Structure formats: structure tokens, C-alpha cells
Amino acid sequence: MAEKFIIHPRGPLMGRVEISGAKNAVLPVLAGSLLTGQPCRITNVPNLSDVEFMAELVESLGGFTSWDKSSGVFNVDTSRLSKYDAAYELVGKMRASFLIIGPLLARLGRARVPLPGGCAIGTRPVDLHLKGLAALGAEIEHTHGYIEATAPKLVGAKIYLDFPSVGATENIMMAATHAEGQTIIENAAVEPEIVDLANFLNTAGAEVRGAGTDTIKINGVKEMKGTSHSVIPDRIEAGTFMVAAALTRGDVMLTNIMADHVKPVTAKLKEVNVQVTETEDGIHVKADGEPLIAADIKTLPYPGFPTDMQAQFMALMTQAKGTSVITETVFENRFMQVGELKRMGAVIKIESRSAIIEGVEKLTGAQVNATDLRAGAALVLAALTADDVTEVNGICHIDRGYYRLDDRLNQLGAWIERAKENA
Ligand code: UD1
């Protein structure tokens, strides 16, 4: 049954929190395990429902998975991969499942994967993925809502991405690992998750160079092997806890974090008067001093400010002194949290791709709805500072990408109950 959070007012968050492995790194790595055909051991795997979906998908194709959720060790063996077509019910649940098309094509010469539908944050096409696969020699057909790709042989090519799409870069990079000759991806995405995937593929025998720059070169190899890989920490989960600390004027130490990966968030937090210090242990966020001040933000591909942190930062700016303008340039419709924040007393106006936020003294408790993962997280953060009880419905979206956000915030001093939606 659907669940909700009941969030009670409490004071500043205090204490330590350990950041989980990155959702957006582990999903492509699991898709990449389809390429190896040998057992892989993935560690630091976050306990998330999206990882569950990906495991189901790998199993549905003939792979074997075993996951010890308490230790975060995930074993995957795709030696018996037998199917090239993915079920709509599984792919429809999660857009990242489209990442299996490149690996399936490379491994089996064929893939049939449902087109991911539109979702709450925009239409999210896959044209760049498909253009890349076609450039490697795949024949692409759209039939009855499915993409069918066939290529008895993939051949390396030079591919320029019109936009540095994260998913397209990953899909093409994976397909190219088994292509004949060299593939060059230009204007590639440079997100840390791309580097993590390349590291995984390389330890499994692939030859990927340049990941983390806008030009990635992949020399095709005939065979790959099993490997062990530890997933990078989740920079978005880290950013979310950093903003939670800032919003509640708290004092929180975050561990298992890559300071470099959260630099854009750190920079903005400092700009709005929050103290952020790198220590040997991790990152220390302290916001019990000066009042928060407004700042403008524009989301951009990495190393710009992440679109996945836009909603949480908007929650923060509702409590800042002054007016801030947040411009979303990565997705066309990613202000789903605005209506809900307004129900909590925020003053926000949308003008085209920008949201204009007037800081208010206090947010009030209300019943609100999490429409997607990051919008949901933003509502939880906003609720931490509201003067009254807030109910956040639709928290299945939040559970997709945050492991037990409620319990972990509670350990820092929040008061969040998880209850049945109609209870
Ligand atoms: C990934 C992340 C997501 C994050 C996003 C941007 C995963 C599992 N998800 O999503 O959390 O918000 O990066 O940092 O890693 N586009 C096209 N054609 C395509 C592909 C993308 O036009 O073929 C557009 C999209 O509609 C969007 C923009 O490019 O406007 C960015 O999308 P992309 O970088 O591909 O994001 P995802 O890989 O889907």
C-alpha cells in the first residue's frame, strides 16, 4: 500500500550521516554487466527500489543476481544471458532501463526494448542514444512502442552528440566496447557517473579512454571478463543532506563523500551564507550563523549546478532573504515541486524556464504530493522547517532514489513518521 511521510517541526539537524553508493552510477554499471558474460561483484550498492527494478530486468534476460542489501554487495552473472527483449512492465518503471539496449546489442547482436514513455519531468527522448547506435551500424526500427535494434556486427565510428546526454553517452560507450575498431564520442557527458562506468568497464577488460572529458575513445575488444567494482558515493544524496543541514540551520558531518563531485553545490551553499568545510572525514556543513541570503542558479550539465539538486535548492531559497531566480536548462518541465511548495506558503512565480522565489519568514505545514524523486526530496526538506505538521504523499518516488531518507534524517534529529497513505 502507498505510504506517506508525516513530518513534524523540530530543531536543527545535528550529527553524522554516511552517504550511500550512487543510484545513477550503479544502474549503468548493472546494465554494463550484461557485456561481460562473467560474474561481477559490485560493492557499495545502495538499497533502492530502482536497483531492485534493474536486478529484475537483468534476471528477466537470463542473468543471475544475488544482493546482500545489508552489506551492499551485489553479485551479477550474465553468462547465461538468453533473451534480447525486455518486458514493458519492467522498462516502464524506470527510464534508466533503456541503458540495456547498448549492452544487449553488443553482446547478442540484437535488442528489443520498449521506448521509455514521457515522465513527470519532460518528454525525455532517446534520439541521441539511437543515433549513436545507428552510427555503429545498428539497424533501428520502431514497432508498436518498442525499439528493435539489430547489428550482426558493430563497427567503431565517430559520434558527435548534439547535447552531452548522460544516458546516450553511457549507452553508446557500452555498445562500442565490443565494436570492431575505435569509436570516438565527441561532446560526451562528463558526469562522475560516466567515469565510474568507464572504470567498471575497463576493469572488466574494455578499453575506454577519456571518460570525464568531452571526448571518449573506445577501442573495441572481443571479450570481457568478470570483475569487482565499488560504486562511487551519491553526489545528489550528499547534496540533499547538505541542503537539509542548511535549511534547518544545523551542523552536519557527511562521510563517504567525494568533495570534488559536490563542488557546484558547495559553491552555491557558501554563496548563500552556509559554512561548508572539507575535512579528512568528509564534508562539514554548518548553518547556525548568518541568515541565508538569496542566490541565482542555472542548472547545467556537470560540472555545472546539477538539475537533480534544483528542487532541493529551491526549497532552501524559500527561506533566504531576498529574491532568487532558478533557471532549469537541462529538462524542459522540471518545476513540479513549485505548486506543492506554494501550498506550504512559498512565494514562487514561474516564467518560462525560470522560477522566481521570494524568501518568506516561515513555511507552513500542508498536505503535499511528491510527483517525482527530487521534487519529493525538496518537499521533505521544506517540511523540516515548516511551523506545523506536513504530510508528503507519493513517497514511493523518494524511495526510488534515497535509502530510508526518513530514518536517516531522524538520526540527525528530525521527526518523520512513515505511515500508510490512507491511514
Ligand atoms: C541522467 C540521470 C538523471 C539526471 C540527468 C541529467 C541517470 C539514471 N539519470 O538522466 O538523474 O537528471 O542525467 O543530469 O543517470 N535528451 C535528448 N535526447 C536523448 C537523450 C536526452 O534530447 O536521446 C535530452 C533530455 O530530454 C534532457 C537532456 O537531454 O532534456 C538531459 O538528459 P540526459 O543527460 O540524457 O539524462 P538521463 O541520462 O536521462
Side-chain angles (χ1 to χ4, degrees), residues 295-314:
D296 294 344
I297 285 180
K298 191 188 251 188
T299 66
L300 286 168
Y302 191 83
F305 190 89
T307 170
D308 284 351
M309 281 301 301
Q310 178 258 105
Q312 300 89 314
F313 227 86
M314 187 181 293

Side-chain angles (χ1 to χ4, degrees), residues 4 14 16 18 27 49 60 139 164 175 192-193 209 228 230 251 303 310 317 350 366 378 388 392 407:
K4 65 182 174 187
M14 306 276 208
R16 291 168 76 85
E18 189 182 337
L27 297 175
S49 51
S60 76
E139 222 167 272
E193 293 76 17
R209 303 285 170 261
S228 202
S230 178
D251 185 338
Q310 178 258 105
M317 288 300 91
I350 297 182
D388 213 335
V392 181
D407 291 345

Side-chain angles (χ1 to χ4, degrees), residues 23-25 27-28 95-96 99 121 123-130 163-168 170 189 191 193 235 301 307-308 329-332 334 353 374:
K23 167 178 94 69
N24 287 353
L27 297 175
R95 181 181 157 88
L99 292 174
I121 64 175
T123 53
R124 300 182 84 171
V126 287
D127 55 318
L128 299 171
H129 300 234
L130 300 179
F163 181 87
S165 152
V166 174
E170 292 167 342
E191 269 69 1
E193 293 76 17
R235 63 194 168 97
T307 170
D308 284 351
T329 77
V330 178
F331 289 104
E332 81 262 30
R334 207 175 189 180
R353 298 191 97 163
R374 307 304 171 187

Side-chain angles (χ1 to χ4, degrees), residues 193-217:
E193 293 76 17
I194 304 275
V195 178
D196 200 44
L197 175 63
N199 288 341
F200 163 72
L201 296 172
N202 285 339
T203 58
E207 285 182 24
V208 181
R209 303 285 170 261
T213 74
D214 64 2
T215 306
I216 302 180
K217 294 185 179 164

Side-chain angles (χ1 to χ4, degrees), residues 215-227:
T215 306
I216 302 180
K217 294 185 179 164
I218 305 117
N219 288 324
V221 295
K222 287 229 158 61
E223 299 245 312
M224 287 172 70
K225 54 181 200 265
T227 188

